[in-house]
Amino acid sequence: MAMRKFYSEIKGLKVKEVPGHVKPMLSVNYVKNAFQRWLDNYHAKYIQTSSVEPLFHVCYGGLIFSYLVALPEERRHLEHQEHAKEHGGH
């Protein structure tokens, strides 16, 4: 949704105008304000309505986080297995 809005904003600009339009969006204050707006919207949409969805968000986030943390270990394990197969190991 945010990408669609961003695309619609820059769609009518000339290439030389894009950096001038994007640069203010990369400031610390802009990012802080955008994050605060996101928190306010999230609070209004899920917390104020006593929705159960924030619990799902925490569960899914924890699942994705644990997968990403374990991924390098799993990749090393698979690489070791393939190396062992190539060299006649177990």
Side-chain angles (χ1 to χ4, degrees), residues 23-63:
K23 194 170 183 175
M25 294 179 185
L26 300 176
S27 71
V28 174
N29 276 341
Y30 184 86
V31 172
K32 282 181 183 179
N33 290 335
F35 185 72
Q36 187 61 48
R37 279 193 315 269
W38 176 81
L39 279 177
D40 293 342
N41 291 339
Y42 188 88
H43 187 265
K45 186 173 182 179
Y46 297 113
I47 308 301
Q48 292 289 346
T49 60
S50 299
S51 174
V52 72
E53 283 193 45
L55 180 61
F56 296 146
H57 295 157
V58 169
C59 291
Y60 292 139
L63 181 79

Side-chain angles (χ1 to χ4, degrees), residues 2-3 7-8 11 13-14 19 24 39 54 67 69-70 73:
M3 287 300 291
Y7 176 74
S8 67
K11 184 170 52 174
L13 298 177
K14 294 181 181 177
L39 279 177
Y67 175 78
V69 167
E73 179 77 21

